[in-house]
Amino acid sequence: MAESEWQDAVITRGRGTRRCVLTSTHDAVRPPAGVRPTGTPPSPSATPSSAGGTTMTARSTRRTTAAHSRLAAVGAIAVAGALLLTGCGDQTENGDSGSSDNQSSSGAPLADKLPQSIRDKGTIKVGSDIAYAPVEFKDESGKTVGIDPDLADALGKQLGVKFEFENGTFDTLITGLRSKRYDIAMSAMTDTKDRQEGVDADTGKKVGQGVDFVDYFTAGVSIYTKKGDDQGIKTWSDLCGKKLVLQRGTVSEDLAKAENEKCPAGKKISMEAFDNDQQAQTRLRAGGADAGSSDFPVAAYAVKTSGGGKDFQIVGEQVEAAPYGIAVAKDNTQLRDALKAALDAVIANGEYKKIMDKWGVAEGAITEATVNGGK
């Protein structure tokens, strides 16, 4: 659950034509809202892979031949004339008719909700720290897999675009969003008021415009230790006088700093922060720390998979449960609202539940998409 480096995180972020069309379209109907998904976790030894893609449609035309009789030809001309008249109209609001419009009416029911610039390029660039299993990580073949990539594939089917993940360190993702390197940031990012308002969590000062979030999951923060050696750690207060490893810029780091202020003199928490969570796990595994901390789904996945389940154990209860959100620039409300509509659609059609069940995280599932639900 990752906090961004707000000192460098200021967020910034078609003319219609009149045309006659000899074709017809079919409106797609959005399904009704669904119920909260539930499920059982997969085998910890298996690493699921994501699947998805975009749907392309083709327009076909009907051809006439010289063998038709004069009467048939006259009839055909009359029908064509009628179609021409009904097809002509003011296309200003809908824009040019093309492959993206055809996709919207067939395989991608929500494509018309996207900004035209994104529909034109057919992709949404996603900034993500791809080293946070099971949320997003590389499998043995080097493919980006996890909860976020699977969910992005499902959203892409609704919107008629491909989500392209680009790897970056977590504390630079908001900066990349500001510079328009990314369209969105999707990386187990906790939706907080500070991030929404562009406030530095350490100083309380306004340092940027902030971002909007489309919330898609709920998770808390956990502490884990080497298996069979909990060092007497059960709660955050037990970390006083201990060495803790974690990922830089995360809520885990914020919680550790807050707890450290409560520790008595001479028993402060020694913190070592890394660029990614896998590096922190490696240090703990090698005996270089007493405990580690990360989001509950990540800690639970490490406990199940690292060393065949023999390396780590979770201690105590998860704390600070809060939503993960897809970060979008404040001035890109159309993209934000399109993502929310697509998320509601995949919740309603059951794809969201399948993804949560696949990765064994159904306990963090939501029942409807919200915007800026973090506190």
Side-chain angles (χ1 to χ4, degrees):
M1 192 175 298
E3 289 286 331
S4 61
E5 188 179 62
W6 279 109
Q7 288 81 357
D8 189 27
V10 181
I11 305 300
T12 60
R13 269 276 323 143
R15 180 172 54 195
T17 60
R18 187 178 298 271
R19 177 172 294 183
C20 300
V21 184
L22 277 174
T23 185
S24 62
T25 58
H26 302 278
D27 293 334
V29 180
R30 177 176 167 184
V35 296
R36 178 176 181 131
T38 59
T40 56
S43 169
S45 62
T47 303
S49 62
S50 62
T54 58
T55 302
M56 297 184 66
T57 62
R59 180 179 297 173
S60 62
T61 58
R62 189 177 302 272
R63 186 172 297 182
T64 62
T65 69
H68 286 178
S69 68
R70 180 180 300 271
L71 181 60
V74 172
I77 292 172
V79 171
L83 286 173
L84 182 62
L85 290 174
T86 58
C88 290
D90 191 344
Q91 303 292 320
T92 302
E93 294 184 0
N94 295 329
D96 290 344
S97 176
S99 60
S100 61
D101 286 346
N102 288 340
Q103 197 170 42
S104 172
S105 64
S106 55
L110 300 178
D112 60 353
K113 291 185 175 295
L114 285 170
Q116 189 62 48
S117 60
I118 288 181
R119 296 176 65 187
D120 289 343
K121 67 181 181 179
T123 59
I124 291 177
K125 290 185 178 180
V126 184
S128 186
D129 177 14
I130 309 175
Y132 210 56
V135 187
E136 53 263 316
F137 63 105
K138 300 281 189 180
D139 66 10
E140 293 180 356
S141 70
K143 182 181 179 181
T144 299
V145 298
I147 299 167
D148 284 358
D150 280 1
L151 184 57
D153 281 343
L155 297 177
K157 292 175 184 176
Q158 294 293 319
L159 297 170
V161 293
K162 180 180 179 181
F163 285 64
E164 294 183 347
F165 280 72
E166 295 186 13
N167 196 24
T169 55
F170 186 84
D171 55 3
T172 66
L173 296 181
I174 298 297
T175 303
L177 188 61
R178 177 201 65 189
S179 65
K180 299 186 179 180
R181 177 179 178 181
Y182 315 124
D183 297 308
I184 63 173
M186 189 175 187
S187 190
M189 185 176 288
T190 304
D191 175 2
T192 66
K193 284 295 183 185
D194 284 346
R195 282 186 172 138
Q196 293 170 24
E197 298 171 0
V199 173
D200 186 318
D202 289 333
T203 65
K205 295 181 179 179
K206 179 83 170 178
V207 293
Q209 182 182 6
V211 295
D212 283 337
F213 287 98
V214 179
D215 299 334
Y216 64 96
F217 189 75
T218 301
V221 178
S222 292
I223 302 171
Y224 60 98
T225 66
K226 294 185 71 175
K227 194 163 188 176
D229 186 18
D230 64 14
Q231 299 285 318
I233 299 170
K234 301 296 183 185
T235 67
W236 280 84
S237 61
D238 295 330
L239 290 171
C240 294
K242 307 291 186 182
K243 183 172 183 179
L244 179 69
V245 289
L246 38 73
Q247 183 177 2
R248 185 178 296 107
T250 60
V251 172
S252 291
E253 186 176 33
D254 290 342
L255 291 174
K257 288 178 179 178
E259 189 63 43
N260 195 40
E261 295 179 357
K262 305 174 187 177
C263 294
K267 289 193 67 177
K268 295 296 184 178
I269 302 172
S270 174
M271 284 174 277
E272 187 173 7
F274 295 87
D275 285 341
N276 62 62
D277 199 69
Q278 292 174 352
Q279 293 171 346
Q281 292 175 22
T282 299
R283 179 59 59 91
L284 178 59
R285 191 183 299 111
D290 300 305
S293 177
S294 60
D295 294 355
F296 172 74
V298 177
Y301 189 83
V303 167
K304 291 179 180 179
T305 60
S306 181
K310 297 179 181 179
D311 287 346
F312 304 126
Q313 64 185 15
I314 289 179
V315 294
E317 300 293 328
Q318 60 175 314
V319 299
E320 298 290 321
Y324 284 173
I326 303 171
V328 187
K330 283 285 188 184
D331 60 0
N332 206 346
T333 56
Q334 187 176 0
L335 176 57
R336 179 200 67 194
D337 294 344
L339 291 169
K340 180 184 183 301
L343 180 56
D344 278 328
V346 298
I347 291 173
N349 70 16
E351 285 298 311
Y352 179 87
K353 178 183 184 302
K354 291 178 182 177
I355 294 166
M356 299 300 111
D357 289 347
K358 172 182 176 179
W359 292 101
V361 293
E363 65 273 13
I366 61 171
T367 57
E368 64 178 345
T370 57
V371 172
N372 295 333
K375 305 301 182 184

